[in-house]
Every structure is written in C-alpha cells, then in structure tokens.
C-alpha cells in the first residue's frame, strides 16, 4: 500500500472525481438518445415510489416492533441507500438532459447499474474532498496494490455523520405514529410580499407555480397513455395559457424556469452542475421538466411524482431563506423571512427556558441597568438573545439562539461551523463575551431583573441553542454546550439542579 500525503488528499480525490466523470461521459456518449431520458425518469419515479412506500409503512413497523435501536439502525441504512440512489439518479438525468447522446446502444439494466455506481462514487469522493478541504474530515488515503483508492474509516467526520443520522432516525421513529395527524390550523397561503417578490425574481407567483405544476401533471394524465409523460412544448404552453388565462410569454417563462435543456458543455454552469451540492439552479429537483430537442419541435418529458415534489422544494427554497436571489424584491423578502424566523425561534427558546424551570425569562436583552453591553475597549457586544433566571436556585443562563436549516454537504457544514464555533464572528465567541459581561456586572444584572444586588453564591452559565441537531458540534469541540431545541427543556432542568448543588461556583 502506498499512503497518499495528507496535503495531496484533495488533489488526488479531485482527479478521481474527474476520472469517474470521464467514464460517465464515455458510457453515455455511446447510448442512443431515443427513449433514454424517458427510461431514466421512469427509474427515478420508481425510486420515489419506493421511498414513499417505506415512509407510509414506517408507523406500522413501529407499532409492531417498537422503537428499539435496531429499527433505528435499519432506518439509517435504508435512508442512506435512498439518498445515494436518488442523488445518482438525478445526476444522470441532469447530465443526459444537458448532453443528449448520439450513440446507438440501448440502456440495459447492466449499463444503468454501472452508471448509477459511477455516479454514486463520484458524489461520494467529491463530498469527501470538500470535507477534508473544510477540516471536517481527517480521513487518510492509500493506493492499494489492486490500483484502487483506500480510505480510512472512523474519523470525526464519519463518526459525527453516523451519530447525527442515528439521532435523527430515533427522532423520526418517535414521531412516526403521529406524523400524519392533522394540525390545529389550516396552512396559510403566500402573502402579497411573497407573490410580488416571486414575480420580480421569476416572472410568476408562488400561486402560479402551484397551479402550473398541477396543470402540467393533469395534462399528462389526460393526454398520455403512460408515464413518464411526453408532449410537445407548444401543447403544454398553450394548455397553461388557455386553462390559467396566462399570456403566452408568461407560460413560456414558467416552462423555461422549470425545464432542464441541452447546453454546449455540462460544466459551463460551474458549481450548479455539481451533483454533491444543493440549492443549484440547474438541478433536477428544481427543474422537473426535461426539454428534448430545440425550436418548434421541442418536447417536454416529465414524471408525475417528481414534478409534484418539486413544488414543495420551491416553497422550501423561499421560506427557508436559502434562495440565491438576484432581484431587490426577493432579497428584501428573504431578509424579512430570516429575521422573522429568528425572532420566532428566540421566543420559542424563552418559552422553553420557562418550561425548564426559569421563573424569569426574557429575550433581546440590549441594555441592563440602563447600560449597553460593551467590552472593556468600548466595543458593542450586541444583544443577548435569551436570558433565564431561577432566583430560588440562584442561577442565570445566558443563551445564544441560532435558527439553522439542516446542512447537507461539507460546504454548508463549514458555513454552519463558522457561524457557530469558529472565529471571532461565531456564536461561541459572541456568547462568551456577553456571558462574561453578565458575570462582571452581576450585581447590576440582579438589580435590573430582581431588584436585589446580593450576588452571593450565584452561578452564571451559558449555552448555544439550535433549531435542530447539527453536524458541527459533533465534529468540533466547544467549551459551551450546543443544545438542540428538542433537548433544551431537559438541559435547563438539569442545569438548574447542578447550579443549586454548586452554588458559589461560576461556570462557563
């Protein structure tokens, strides 16, 4: 075995990714274009059906076998296989849509399996390369005697990923029996601000998107004998114009925004072509229609299940604030959404502080005893997101609340780690300075909130509370607890008990 030097790991992995990509290029180039994209979409629809079926029977499995660790382990394995297969399948569709082949070979099951395996390996190696680049993974590489690349197992990245997957599986199992129960209130439609921003950004509103997706699926059901559906693009555009009373230009804009189409080079859209990345404009998740051919003779091909699921993706893209926007209206909207979500999460944290035993809990603490929080150098330390006090047990808890979407690849995880734990702009750094200010001004803090300057035997502690279980705290060490909101009430209760036992100690 020949070890690969640590400083060359990402370089080697990038070459491996390039090698897999070249193999996929060669294999696809030899295939016949006729019926190819339809076959790939049909197989992807089968993957979606299998995923939905497993999701539907999960509550029954839990009812029969309980919530032991074995079902959770099985769920982790099943979910991992489903994610890998779905990613590989979407990549093949994206590639063939962008680079229609001109060969004469048919797509056999063996060829399909080979392409899926190559795609899965390409995504896996590219993901590992990014994990190493962002200091998440310490995996070592070796060149095996067989010529294959060996990867060490069990580093912090792999262990953290497995632990996080297991934790999420356990949570899913606990929620499974009631996941389909009705909510107390009906979902609200998009606001005028959302609709206006959508029109400015894309040329159609979110309501238009929902109606358009429904009409495209209905048209396929009506006009086509089998799935995936294939119709002339002009027929689809005319149907949208007639049924929804859209101008032809609007109907065409809608189809342009939701369709993948041929381009000169697959990688011409740069990182938007990388299948291991998320939130890509040219992804099959975002563009469920495939344009085959050009000009007046172009056709659209689509699968009903995937096209339906793309609507939810678009909605989530907007309401999570993740959309990479270009219009000023959309940028303003996303800023408002993120701000509102942060405020709502801070309020949730305050409620949980009270539920955990803090008799007094407040948020957005900008001043204490008429003074802003400042460093000894006079720099503004910012607001305390949430603060809880239990006077009986003489404990103050200072909280930094972070509302995060789930990170899905190493690049997003690196941003998450920077926001949480790394550097002087991180939540950890800011929280440490604010907590220290409370310690240094304990008498003033107690007077402000309780009207009592007696600071004897008080404990000041702190935590970062996150909206979901995250990867970064499982990889990087922190001297302050990072607690998911689902576990926060229990953590507060335990912290108050520890505080009572340890009166007189001032802990981080």
């Amino acid at each position: 075995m020949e070890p690969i030097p640590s400083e060359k790991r990402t370089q080697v992995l990038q070459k491996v990714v390039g090698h897999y990509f070249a193999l996929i290029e060669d294999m696809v180039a030899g295939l016949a274009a006729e019926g190819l994209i339809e076959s790939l979409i049909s197989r992807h629809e089968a993957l979606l059906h299998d995923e939905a079926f497993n999701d539907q029977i999960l509550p029954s499995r839990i009812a029969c076998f309980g919530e032991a660790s074995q079902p959770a382990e099985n769920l982790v394995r099943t979910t991992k296989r489903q994610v890998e297969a779905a990613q590989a399948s979407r990549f093949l569709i994206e590639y063939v849509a962008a680079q229609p082949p001109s060969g004469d070979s048919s797509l056999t099951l063996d060829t399909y399996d080979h392409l899926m395996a190559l795609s899965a390996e390409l995504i896996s190696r590219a993901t590992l390369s990014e994990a190493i680049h962002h200091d998440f993974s310490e995996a070592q590489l070796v060149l095996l005697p067989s010529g294959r690349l060996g990867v060490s197992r069990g580093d912090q990245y792999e262990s953290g990923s497995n632990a996080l997957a297991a934790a999420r599986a356990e949570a899913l199992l606990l929620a499974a029996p009631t996941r389909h129960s009705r909510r107390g209130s009906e979902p609200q439609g998009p606001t005028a601000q959302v609709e206006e921003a959508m029109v400015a950004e894309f040329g159609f509103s979110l309501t238009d998107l929902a109606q358009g997706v429904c009409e495209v699926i209905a048209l396929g059901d009506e006009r086509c004998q089998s799935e995936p559906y294939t119709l002339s693009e002009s027929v689809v555009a005319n149907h949208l114009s007639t049924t929804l009373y859209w101008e032809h230009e609007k109907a065409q804009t809608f189809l342009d925004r939701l369709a993948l189409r041929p381009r000169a080079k697959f990688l011409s859209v740069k990182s938007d072509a990388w299948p291991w990345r998320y939130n890509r404009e040219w992804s099959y998740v975002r563009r469920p229609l495939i344009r085959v051919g050009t000009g007046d003779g172009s056709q659209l091909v689509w699968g009903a299940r995937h096209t339906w699921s793309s609507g939810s993706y678009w909605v989530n893209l907007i309401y999570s604030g993740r959309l990479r926007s270009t219009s000023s209206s959309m940028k303003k909207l996303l800023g408002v959404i993120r701000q509102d979500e942060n405020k709502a999460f801070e309020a949730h944290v305050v409620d949980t502080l009270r539920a955990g035993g803090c008799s007094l809990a407040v948020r957005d603490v900008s001043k204490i005893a008429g003074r802003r929080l400042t460093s000894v150098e006079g720099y503004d330390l910012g607001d305390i997101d949430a603060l809880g006090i239990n006077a009986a047990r003489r404990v103050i808890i200072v909280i930094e609340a972070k509302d995060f979407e789930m990170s899905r690849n190493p690049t997003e995880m690196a941003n998450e780690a920077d926001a949480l734990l790394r550097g002087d702009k991180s939540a950890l750094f800011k929280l440490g300075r604010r907590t220290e200010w409370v310690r240094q001004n304990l008498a003033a803090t107690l007077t402000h909130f309780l009207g009592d300057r007696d600071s004897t035997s008080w404990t000041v502690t702190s935590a970062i509370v996150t909206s979901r279980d995250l990867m970064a705290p499982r990889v990087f060490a922190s001297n302050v607890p990072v607690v998911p909101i689902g576990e926060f009430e229990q953590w507060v209760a335990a912290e108050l008990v520890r505080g009572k036992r340890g009166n007189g100690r001032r802990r981080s």
Side-chain angles (χ1 to χ4, degrees):
M1 294 189 298
E2 182 182 346
I4 305 297
S6 295
E7 66 275 11
K8 293 186 178 181
R9 289 175 298 166
T10 56
Q11 181 181 348
V12 169
L13 286 169
Q14 288 167 8
K15 289 182 178 179
V16 170
V17 170
H19 173 70
Y20 285 136
F21 183 69
L23 291 176
I24 293 170
E25 280 185 309
D26 289 343
M27 289 190 68
V28 171
L31 296 174
E34 185 176 358
L36 177 58
I37 198 69
E38 290 86 351
S39 180
L40 293 176
I41 291 176
S42 179
R43 293 171 191 271
H44 187 75
E45 292 285 294
L47 291 174
L48 294 179
H49 175 272
D50 185 55
E51 182 179 341
F53 176 77
N54 288 333
D55 188 60
Q56 288 292 324
I57 66 174
L58 180 61
S60 300
R61 288 179 174 174
I62 301 305
C64 291
F65 303 111
E67 299 161 0
S69 59
Q70 190 59 46
E73 293 174 5
N74 292 338
L75 182 59
V76 170
R77 286 194 293 270
T78 300
T79 302
K80 183 178 180 181
R81 288 196 298 267
Q82 288 175 340
V83 169
E84 289 174 348
Q87 281 185 310
S89 176
R90 291 195 297 266
F91 171 57
L92 289 178
I93 292 171
E94 291 169 11
Y95 182 79
V96 171
Q99 301 282 283
S102 57
D104 53 12
S105 299
S106 59
L107 181 68
T108 65
L109 181 59
D110 182 63
T111 303
Y112 176 74
D113 286 345
H114 194 182
L115 283 170
M116 286 285 284
L118 288 173
S119 299
E121 279 296 297
L122 181 152
I123 294 168
S124 174
R125 297 314 184 198
T127 302
L128 177 59
S129 177
E130 290 198 350
I132 292 173
H133 173 73
H134 291 295
D135 296 324
F136 270 89
S137 177
E138 298 173 347
Q140 298 301 309
L141 309 180
V142 294
L143 186 63
L144 301 174
S146 62
R148 295 179 300 158
L149 187 68
V151 181
S152 65
R153 305 295 298 273
D155 75 324
Q156 58 184 8
Y157 178 69
E158 182 181 11
S159 299
S161 298
N162 292 339
L164 184 57
R168 287 174 177 164
E170 292 283 2
L172 186 61
L173 291 174
L174 290 172
T178 58
R179 281 188 332 181
H180 303 292
S181 60
R182 295 187 62 180
R183 296 187 178 183
S185 59
E186 294 297 321
Q188 300 295 314
T191 64
Q193 186 180 12
V194 171
E195 298 290 60
E196 291 169 6
M198 281 288 296
V199 171
E201 185 75 20
F202 300 111
F204 52 85
S205 68
L206 205 55
T207 300
D208 291 334
L209 174 70
Q211 293 175 339
V213 165
C214 288
E215 285 300 327
V216 167
I217 295 172
L219 179 64
D221 288 339
E222 177 186 339
R223 298 284 189 92
C224 302
Q225 298 298 316
S226 61
E227 291 189 55
Y229 303 137
T230 303
L231 285 172
S232 166
E233 184 170 358
S234 62
V235 169
V236 180
N238 289 336
H239 176 80
L240 292 174
S241 297
T242 302
T243 307
L244 299 176
Y245 306 102
W246 289 355
E247 297 289 338
H248 181 76
E249 182 180 357
K250 179 177 179 178
Q252 193 58 58
T253 297
F254 175 82
L255 295 178
D256 286 342
R257 287 289 190 176
L258 268 72
L260 291 172
R261 51 186 178 266
R263 55 181 181 264
K265 292 184 179 180
F266 180 73
L267 295 176
S268 63
V269 294
K270 300 179 181 179
S271 60
D272 267 335
W274 299 351
W276 59 92
R277 290 283 182 89
Y278 291 84
N279 193 8
R280 296 181 293 119
E281 181 181 353
W282 293 95
S283 71
Y284 183 48
V285 177
R286 185 162 162 177
R287 294 173 176 262
L289 312 178
I290 310 300
R291 181 178 292 163
V292 179
T294 58
D296 295 337
S298 65
Q299 293 185 312
L300 293 176
V301 186
W302 69 96
R305 288 184 180 86
H306 183 75
T307 302
W308 179 260
S309 67
S310 69
S312 299
Y313 176 81
W314 275 75
V315 170
N316 181 262
L317 202 59
I318 302 300
Y319 285 100
S320 68
R322 285 191 171 198
L323 178 71
R324 291 180 294 164
S325 57
T326 57
S327 67
S328 58
S329 296
M330 182 59 76
K331 289 178 180 178
K332 181 179 179 180
L333 171 67
L334 297 180
V336 170
I337 287 174
R338 284 190 288 264
Q339 187 178 50
D340 289 347
E341 288 292 322
N342 289 336
K343 289 181 178 178
F345 182 61
E346 288 175 8
H348 185 23
V349 169
V350 168
D351 291 340
T352 309
L353 277 168
R354 294 192 185 103
C358 289
S359 53
L360 187 150
V362 294
R363 66 184 181 96
D364 288 335
V365 180
S366 59
K367 290 184 178 181
I368 293 178
R371 298 165 53 195
R372 289 199 60 82
L373 282 66
T374 57
S375 67
V376 292
E377 297 86 3
Y379 296 118
D380 192 337
L381 300 181
D383 299 351
I384 295 174
D385 289 343
L387 184 143
I389 299 177
N390 184 299
R393 295 180 176 176
R394 306 179 81 79
V395 174
I396 297 178
I397 304 177
V398 184
I399 297 298
E400 183 79 6
K402 303 300 292 185
D403 183 22
F404 280 122
E405 289 296 316
M406 184 177 69
S407 297
R408 297 157 297 183
N409 59 47
T411 299
E412 291 183 357
M413 291 174 187
N415 295 334
E416 174 188 291
D418 291 342
L420 272 181
L421 305 172
R422 302 193 298 197
D424 58 8
K425 294 184 180 180
S426 68
L428 178 64
F429 182 81
K430 294 175 182 176
L431 178 62
R433 302 183 80 187
R434 293 165 189 166
T435 304
E436 186 58 30
W437 189 96
V438 172
R439 290 199 187 97
Q440 296 297 327
N441 298 271
L442 183 56
T445 301
L446 294 173
T447 300
H448 179 84
F449 289 108
L450 302 177
D452 183 0
R453 293 186 60 84
D454 182 10
S455 59
T456 306
S457 300
W458 275 82
T459 297
V460 178
T461 188
S462 61
I464 300 170
V465 182
T466 59
S467 53
R468 49 182 40 84
D469 205 345
L470 301 176
M471 180 68 172
R474 295 178 179 272
V475 176
F476 297 106
S478 171
N479 61 344
V480 171
V482 180
V483 187
I485 188 64
E487 303 172 11
F488 185 49
E489 181 178 340
Q490 184 179 2
W491 181 88
V492 172
E495 196 69 11
L496 293 178
V497 171
R498 282 194 293 270
K500 184 175 183 179
R501 288 199 301 259
N503 276 345
R505 295 184 294 116
R506 295 186 178 182
R507 298 178 291 114
S508 302

